[in-house]
Amino acid sequence: MAILNEEQEMLRDMARDWATNESPVTAWRKVRTEKPAEGYSPDAWNTMAQMGWAGVVIPEEHGGSDFGWMSAGLVVEELGKTMTASPIVATTLAASAIVLGGSDEQKARWLPKLASGEVVGTLAFDEGAHHGGKTEASVSDGKLSGTKAFVHEAHGASLFVVSAADGLYLVEKGDGVTLSDRKLTDMRSHATITFDGAAADKLADGGDDLADKVLDRARILTAAEMLGMAQQVFDVTLDYLKQRVQFNQVLASFQALQHRMADLFGDLAMMRSAVEGGLEALDSGHGIPRAACVAKAEANRVLHTMSREGVQLHGGIGMTDEYDIGFYLKRARVLEASWGSTSYLRDRFASLAGY
Amino acid sequence: MATLAEPREANTDDAFREEVREFIAKNFPPELKGKGNALATVEGPAQEGPAEKAWREAMGAKGWGVPTWPKEYGGGGLDRKQARILQEEMARAGAWNPIGGMGVMMFGPTLLEFGSEEQKREHIPPIAKGEIRWCQGYSEPNAGSDLANLQTFAEDKGDHYLVNGQKTWTSGGQWADKCFAIVRTDKSDKHNGISFMLIDMDAPGVEVRPIQMISGMSPFCETFFTDVKVPKENLVGKEGQGWTIGKRLLQHERTNLSGGGSMARLMGSSLADAARKYAETGDDGQIADPVLRDRIADFEIRWQSFLLTAKRAVEESKAAGGVSEISSVLKKLGTKLGQERSELMIEIMGLQGLGWEGDGFEEAELAGVRAWLFGKATTIYGGSTEIQNNIIAKRVLGMLDHQ
Ligand SMILES: Cc1cc2nc3c(=O)[nH]c(=O)nc-3n(C[C@H](O)[C@H](O)[C@H](O)COP(=O)(O)OP(=O)(O)OC[C@H]3O[C@@H](n4cnc5c(N)ncnc54)[C@H](O)[C@@H]3O)c2cc1C
């Protein structure tokens, strides 16, 4: 675990307490059953925003707390543990795009509202089922047209950061913006968005590689959510093996399972270091692109194995909807495919390293 | 018609092939081409239309749904070579076996080996005709991998047993007519106190409650027995012999679960075709991403090797007189490969391969996700992979238990 300062410890403990007590997996079950239009509980999101979690990477002069990425990662990790449905990752990423590339005016207009949770933002980048395909959306005369596939948290969002052929744009939900639901196995909010001459405001101050910078952040923060999920699957599985009796012994006493858990524990250690390494790179500003590949590729690999093993080691009960472990398996594959599959990230890593 | 008794001459096989062709041409409704056998699945009640019914009845009358079972109990009485010809000809015509399910896969062969003459005459023909659905009453809340720990108790009441207890994960329990169950008849002996008996699912005191799975389907149940009367003639084998019989049934289950059939059903279309559809191809039609191409080839090579292994093992163990411990090796390998394939498939399809419901997804895509999730059960049920490893180490390799 990274060495945390007092402020970060407080933030993490607060997030952990809230997630455990106010937003356990039963809260996600409720969202799944009640199907609020946003895809999450608006009350829960308001509470999260009031606790300042929406503004962790937003500068103080724009209403945020500017605690940095490690802090944002800590919160997201805790929320990942309990499968809390919220737009925190999406909104943080949209805000970071504005922090990195917005004009003073754009920052003043949007950041305070994003920090307070009043406006939910999200990224609308990919146009196909795989991350990293072509970008065909384009803007002429300030009007954006194109289709974005599988936009996370699209239902609650009123501000989209959209990639077009010549850079990133801000588009508000409204005229020329049409959503169609894409119901994925994780049951969270995803939609295809069609922009048809929607008013678009360019993020012109971020340089040519603004989209890449935002994507690095997306990879790392998503990896932080995946870390929380992997940690939880590990903990819950270990607990289960310590309780379940077969052959007059607790399963935890079987060497075959002990070695499996030891392997998973090692993997989890690697994943945690990779994710924290990514968050630290963002805070220090050094080596971000490569650290982002490492964080997300390790998160993909380890959560993939962990979610599979979690179900397997629970036996039949792991296959039931009544048990929580299946939620982690289903969300794992969606996050794994978002912002770069393992092979995509390996390829990018090799290119960045010049081979 | 060809039977086992006929001389083995080259042209007998040709004649048999001809007979099969004629039978298919006459009886297989063309509109069923390429469809699947709903009766062989446990996911839901069979949606049997008139065409399906006609086809099932034709095959049932011929005994070809269970081609190698003895004719006297409604089977086809074919030898293995003829059974293969039947399979080849059905594949060629896009026809499929309309008869299946647990009765065919595991209960039938076990009853043929251990049942009394009366039991075989009563129970095998309806299975061979696909008229009856069986479910498996093995697992209990505290008897999963440690199956012999089961506690459902059958008390001897003279001409019948009175059964009380709870089973769980009963696949298809809500649609089954009958249940083959292992129950305790003696509390003092863990293994020798188990008996194998047949229970009517509509007998008073049997109650099923479906359980929803992570794949969204609910094909399995909790089954409760409260003072259920089971006539003595429904005991298979001797009282206390249930563990031996029950384990033999598991070998049949494992052979069937690992084989091409059930995994192929979960698999859907070809990986290479999917890659050509969802990823880029070069001008030569090859999959453009060399890494993906390599991974698909790697998988397909291992899958071919597995199919060959399964074929060899089944032939060898049949030659040696039935199923064997090798079924554990097959189950372990086949289920793992099946899961790898599903994972690779959804990776190839990207987020398009993770749809749950609704617009924007093809039926095959949605089916693929559910199959991927359901497929996670294949390394758990029928004895988990860990349990197969234990069996292989102890019974095949002769390694010792460390306790
Ligand atoms: C979809 C589905 C359908 C099923 N259908 C039926 C059915 O129709 N009828 C029926 O009777 N049963 C059915 N089952 C039950 C199935 O056979 C059991 O789930 C299985 O035997 C595992 O038992 P368990 O779930 O209690 O897991 P447990 O025995 O609790 O095992 C949990 C984990 O520990 C591992 N483990 C256990 N013991 C050992 C050991 N000694 N060494 C190493 N690892 C070990 C297991 O491999 C597993 O990974 C079904 C199960 C599923 C998931």
Side-chain angles (χ1 to χ4, degrees), chain B residues 50-278:
Chain B
E52 280 95 348
K53 183 163 187 281
W55 174 229
R56 174 172 61 76
E57 286 174 352
M59 281 286 276
K62 203 88 174 148
W64 284 357
V66 286
T68 58
W69 291 11
K71 266 190 123 103
E72 57 203 296
Y73 307 119
L78 304 184
D79 63 23
R80 299 199 56 73
K81 198 162 176 196
Q82 291 170 323
R84 196 155 63 229
I85 292 173
L86 172 63
Q87 214 168 9
E88 285 165 9
E89 288 305 315
M90 286 207 294
R92 209 178 54 87
W96 37 268
N97 188 346
I99 289 163
M102 292 197 189
V104 171
M105 280 184 354
M106 27 183 145
F107 175 60
T110 311
L111 196 72
L112 283 171
E113 184 176 350
F114 292 97
S116 67
E117 188 57 29
E118 296 79 56
Q119 287 170 336
K120 291 188 221 175
R121 291 204 178 281
E122 180 183 351
H123 298 296
I124 302 287
I127 297 175
K129 291 194 172 69
E131 292 170 349
I132 191 167
R133 296 169 79 92
W134 283 87
C135 66
Q136 178 181 36
Y138 272 39
S139 305
E140 298 183 9
N142 291 311
S145 297
D146 184 11
L147 186 55
N149 189 44
L150 58 92
Q151 303 299 327
T152 295
F153 190 64
E155 194 188 350
D156 191 337
K157 291 283 186 184
D159 65 336
H160 68 271
Y161 292 100
L162 205 58
V163 178
N164 280 285
Q166 181 194 349
K167 295 285 172 184
T168 191
W169 317 137
T170 322
S171 293
Q174 66 270 59
W175 305 299
D177 305 297
K178 288 171 190 287
C179 174
F180 50 89
I182 46 178
V183 298
R184 189 155 291 292
T185 40
D186 178 355
K187 292 181 180 167
S188 66
D189 187 326
K190 187 172 180 184
H191 289 94
N192 295 315
I194 294 173
S195 298
F196 190 104
M197 56 184 67
L198 314 179
I199 304 177
D200 276 349
M201 290 302 279
D202 55 10
V206 179
E207 191 200 337
V208 294
R209 292 187 204 148
I211 303 169
Q212 195 183 347
M213 286 174 70
I214 58 175
S215 54
M217 308 181 281
S218 16
F220 64 177
C221 303
E222 295 177 283
T223 307
F224 298 87
F225 301 106
T226 315
D227 288 338
V228 177
K229 266 181 151 178
V230 177
K232 276 275 171 74
E233 58 263 33
N234 282 7
L235 177 74
V236 177
K238 293 195 188 63
E239 197 177 285
Q241 206 193 351
W243 185 240
T244 307
I245 302 174
K247 275 196 305 182
R248 176 53 56 90
L249 184 136
L250 284 174
Q251 290 182 339
H252 288 292
E253 177 175 11
R254 283 161 194 164
T255 308
N256 278 288
L257 291 178
S258 62
S262 66
M263 285 321 301
R265 187 169 56 76
L266 293 176
M267 281 179 177
S269 64
S270 116
L271 288 170
D273 286 350
R276 282 198 216 97
K277 177 168 172 187
Y278 294 94

Side-chain angles (χ1 to χ4, degrees), chain A residues 240-241 244 246-247 251 254 256-257 312-317 319, chain B residues 102 136-139 144-146 168-171 213 220 374 377 380-384 386-387 390:
Chain A
Y240 186 74
L241 294 180
R244 169 79 172 161
Q246 291 283 276
F247 306 98
L251 291 177
F254 293 117
L257 303 186
Q312 176 70 19
L313 294 174
H314 275 77
I317 213 162
M319 291 298 297
Chain B
M102 292 197 189
Q136 178 181 36
Y138 272 39
S139 305
S145 297
D146 184 11
T168 191
W169 317 137
T170 322
S171 293
M213 286 174 70
F220 64 177
F374 181 80
I380 297 170
Y381 60 44
S384 67
E386 291 75 21
I387 294 303
N390 289 346

Side-chain angles (χ1 to χ4, degrees), chain A residues 165-293:
Chain A
D166 66 334
L168 300 186
Y169 288 82
L170 297 177
V171 178
E172 289 178 69
K173 193 174 266 179
D175 284 350
V177 179
T178 319
L179 256 68
S180 51
D181 290 358
R182 301 307 301 277
K183 295 207 170 72
L184 296 181
T185 181
D186 67 349
M187 304 283 206
R188 292 278 298 267
S189 160
H190 303 276
T192 296
I193 305 188
T194 309
F195 298 97
D196 185 9
D201 185 16
K202 189 166 190 189
L203 292 172
D205 297 350
D208 287 346
D209 59 350
L210 176 61
D212 278 337
K213 286 183 197 153
V214 174
L215 283 170
D216 287 337
R217 283 152 181 79
R219 288 173 189 131
I220 293 168
L221 203 58
T222 302
E225 179 178 346
M226 294 167 85
L227 175 62
M229 291 166 63
Q231 180 75 54
Q232 185 69 8
V233 171
F234 183 84
D235 290 346
V236 165
T237 304
L238 185 59
D239 276 353
Y240 186 74
L241 294 180
K242 287 179 179 172
Q243 285 166 25
R244 169 79 172 161
V245 175
Q246 291 283 276
F247 306 98
N248 293 323
Q249 299 176 49
V250 285
L251 291 177
S253 68
F254 293 117
Q255 207 170 55
L257 303 186
Q258 292 170 350
H259 289 190
R260 294 259 282 280
M261 291 308 285
D263 280 348
L264 291 174
F265 188 65
D267 274 344
L268 189 59
M270 304 254 287
M271 179 180 184
R272 178 168 292 284
S273 315
V275 172
E276 289 180 354
L279 294 164
E280 273 167 7
L282 288 178
D283 283 334
S284 72
H286 293 301
I288 296 169
R290 276 168 77 171
C293 287

